[in-house]
Amino acid sequence: MAQIFLDTASIDEVREAAAWGILDGVTTNPTLMMRAGTADLKENTLAIVSIVQGPVSAEVLSTDAAGMIEEAREILSWSEHVFVKIPVTVEGLKAMKEISAWPNGRVNATLIFSANQAYLAAKAGATYASVFVGRMDDAGLDGMEVVAQAREIFDNYGFDCQVLAASIRHPAHVLDALLVGADIITMPFGVLQKMIRSPFTDAGVEKFLQDWERAQGK
Ligand code: G3P
């Protein structure tokens, strides 16, 4: 079964989506932290963990491998649910290779824009490979094709690394990610809301209620 993650640092959004019973985890990044108006990564990450009790990704800010490794050591110590997000760069791959060998080395390889990057992240031991679908589409590329390619490559070679469809813009992205076999789809709160809502469902509920009242002679 594909997992549904919320792509947000907003505690209110996480609390609301968790109450719907279909939330498996959360991904954050520095931009989402800024939007949520918080600068305390540890406090915010642990607040989210306490709500979802599932995987929550927090991103490093260092650009060199040594710095990423130091940050990862700290971030991963916060909770067994926390994953460290590391970009797929040369320095990031070096860091992933080392961190993923730790007993608690839960790595979310991020900012993936090609299947080759996804393959290298898996080879370096990442648990998740986050493919940025919407940003590729914005650039005139086919983001979902990279998700499909990553799926095929991981299956071809038996990688445990999970394909995470990120940078999701609308419900059609979610559907396509499900159809190409993404393991995880992380989406903004608004996209999750749009997945649920249908005017036909609302109209159907309304009609059933009206007809039930008529059946009672009201
Ligand atoms: O969190 C990673 C990714 O999902 C960000 O997406 O909307 O900034 O392209 P976006």
Side-chain angles (χ1 to χ4, degrees):
M1 182 171 58
Q3 291 192 302
I4 295 288
F5 286 10
L6 214 52
D7 200 24
T8 187
S10 161
I11 305 297
D12 288 344
E13 288 180 352
V14 171
R15 194 175 287 119
E16 179 65 20
W20 299 346
I22 38 75
L23 187 65
D24 299 299
V26 173
T27 49
T28 70
N29 63 36
T31 303
L32 294 170
M33 295 277 297
M34 182 265 293
R35 280 190 204 144
T38 176
D40 191 327
L41 184 61
K42 182 177 180 181
E43 184 188 66
N44 203 70
T45 303
L46 288 178
I48 294 172
V49 165
S50 72
I51 299 166
V52 293
Q53 294 295 320
V56 177
S57 294
E59 188 147 353
V60 296
L61 293 167
S62 298
T63 53
D64 64 303
M68 291 176 186
I69 290 164
E70 196 183 324
E71 280 186 68
R73 205 179 296 283
E74 162 72 13
I75 289 171
L76 291 168
S77 74
W78 296 340
S79 159
E80 60 181 348
H81 295 299
V82 174
F83 279 63
V84 65
K85 261 177 123 174
I86 297 180
V88 179
T89 58
V90 169
E91 292 300 303
L93 283 172
K94 286 190 223 168
M96 280 178 214
K97 181 73 183 171
E98 176 162 338
I99 295 162
S100 59
W102 301 346
N104 68 342
R106 301 171 295 272
V107 172
N108 178 351
T110 190
L111 287 165
I112 291 176
F113 293 87
S114 75
N116 281 338
Q117 288 180 312
Y119 167 65
L120 292 170
K123 200 161 189 296
T127 307
Y128 300 155
S130 288
V131 179
F132 276 42
V133 175
R135 291 195 197 184
M136 274 185 276
D137 287 2
D138 290 345
L141 304 169
D142 185 349
M144 204 55 69
E145 179 61 19
V146 175
V147 174
Q149 290 169 344
R151 168 80 287 140
E152 192 172 341
I153 291 167
F154 292 179
D155 289 347
N156 281 350
Y157 297 103
F159 283 115
D160 287 334
C161 187
Q162 297 182 53
V163 180
L164 193 159
S167 185
I168 293 294
R169 301 270 194 263
H170 44 69
H173 270 158
V174 180
L175 176 59
D176 288 342
L178 289 168
L179 290 173
V180 299
D183 296 293
I184 302 164
I185 304 153
T186 191
M187 67 197 75
F189 182 71
V191 174
L192 184 59
Q193 281 181 313
K194 285 181 193 159
M195 278 177 73
I196 300 166
R197 285 188 184 148
S198 163
F200 298 111
T201 305
D202 293 344
V205 169
E206 180 71 28
K207 179 84 168 67
F208 284 151
L209 287 176
Q210 284 171 358
D211 288 348
W212 186 242
E213 286 198 357
R214 277 197 204 113
Q216 322 274 310
K218 289 181 187 168

